[in-house]
Amino acid sequence: MTPPRLYYMPRTRSSRVLWLLEEIGAPYELTELRGAQRRSDEHLRRHPLGRVPALELGDGTTMFESAAICLQLADLNPKAGLIGPLGSTDRGLVYQWVVFAVSELEAPLFRWIRDLGEGVIDSPARDRFTEAAVAIQSALAEREWLVDDRFSVADVMCASVLEGANARELLRPWAGLEAYVRRGEARPAYTRAAAISDRARS
């Protein structure tokens, strides 16, 4: 079957899909988009909002949203062991933490960062992020990874969001989360993906 093709831009949510692809270790292809290419008719057929990432699967189907892409790739590559079997508790917990990453970590984090840029000190978004940070740090209190202490899609999603907070020194109150991010960054697959995704945009 034709390898999947990732349409991406450096320093975007594409980085988490690259990380997962490297964890899987199967062949894949890359197309970097530059500037106005995101608004081209061709790319708008892949992603109706003209964003990245977008993934073209081997059968020609194109999908978007990084969390959905990561879950689908894990499903297509079960030997990689990044998601539990269909119907298992572990699989349900992966779903839980993937949704948590997007709704409870990323959403308030981005609002908090925007508020900081506008000089807002008492940000409601900071309070919401704090609640989520406490919850995930508690879940990691006696384990290295979120689901059955085995690295999974849940960790790709959660660690990639928390990495953005850590890079801005916003995780200082949560030493456990700083350590979690460092564990993710120490993985060889992360290093390979970062070599692609951390470049400046063209």
Side-chain angles (χ1 to χ4, degrees):
M1 183 178 287
T2 304
R5 177 176 294 274
L6 179 66
Y7 294 86
Y8 80 104
M9 294 179 71
R11 299 180 181 273
T12 64
R13 291 179 180 88
S14 306
S15 62
R16 59 189 58 155
V17 180
L18 280 163
W19 183 4
L20 190 76
L21 284 164
E22 288 294 334
E23 291 284 354
I24 289 167
Y28 65 91
E29 298 176 350
L30 287 174
T31 296
E32 181 179 349
L33 299 180
R34 294 174 171 83
Q37 288 180 317
R38 288 190 310 159
R39 306 304 301 175
S40 68
D41 290 343
E42 183 180 12
H43 188 61
L44 287 170
R45 285 192 291 271
R46 301 182 195 111
H47 195 310
L49 302 180
R51 298 175 183 164
V52 290
L55 185 78
E56 184 178 336
L57 299 168
D59 65 0
T61 301
T62 302
M63 59 185 300
F64 54 90
E65 291 297 330
S66 61
I69 290 170
C70 286
L71 287 167
Q72 177 70 359
L73 286 170
D75 275 348
L76 292 173
N77 297 274
K79 291 182 180 178
L82 295 167
I83 193 167
L86 186 64
S88 67
T89 299
D90 282 358
R91 190 184 188 91
L93 291 174
V94 166
Y95 292 159
Q96 168 190 282
W97 288 113
V98 167
V99 174
F100 185 90
V102 176
S103 61
E104 301 299 335
L105 290 174
E106 188 171 63
L109 174 61
F110 281 13
R111 286 196 294 271
W112 182 20
I113 291 170
R114 182 189 61 203
D115 287 348
L116 288 172
E118 296 173 354
V120 177
I121 304 300
D122 294 324
S123 168
R126 179 196 62 187
D127 297 338
R128 182 174 170 186
F129 179 82
T130 294
E131 291 178 349
V134 169
I136 191 170
Q137 180 166 260
S138 177
L140 289 163
E142 297 181 359
R143 61 183 65 190
E144 292 193 344
W145 308 114
L146 285 165
V147 179
D148 198 29
D149 210 9
R150 291 183 297 183
F151 186 84
S152 72
V153 183
D155 299 299
V156 170
M157 289 298 301
C158 288
S160 67
V161 174
L162 291 170
E163 179 191 24
N166 197 45
R168 295 170 175 83
E169 300 185 347
L170 299 178
L171 290 186
R172 285 187 171 181
W174 304 288
L177 297 185
E178 290 178 313
Y180 177 57
V181 170
R182 288 194 298 271
R183 288 195 295 276
E185 292 174 338
R187 294 180 68 85
Y190 175 90
T191 301
R192 294 191 298 270
I196 301 168
S197 62
D198 285 357
R199 295 180 294 104
R201 297 183 193 176
S202 301

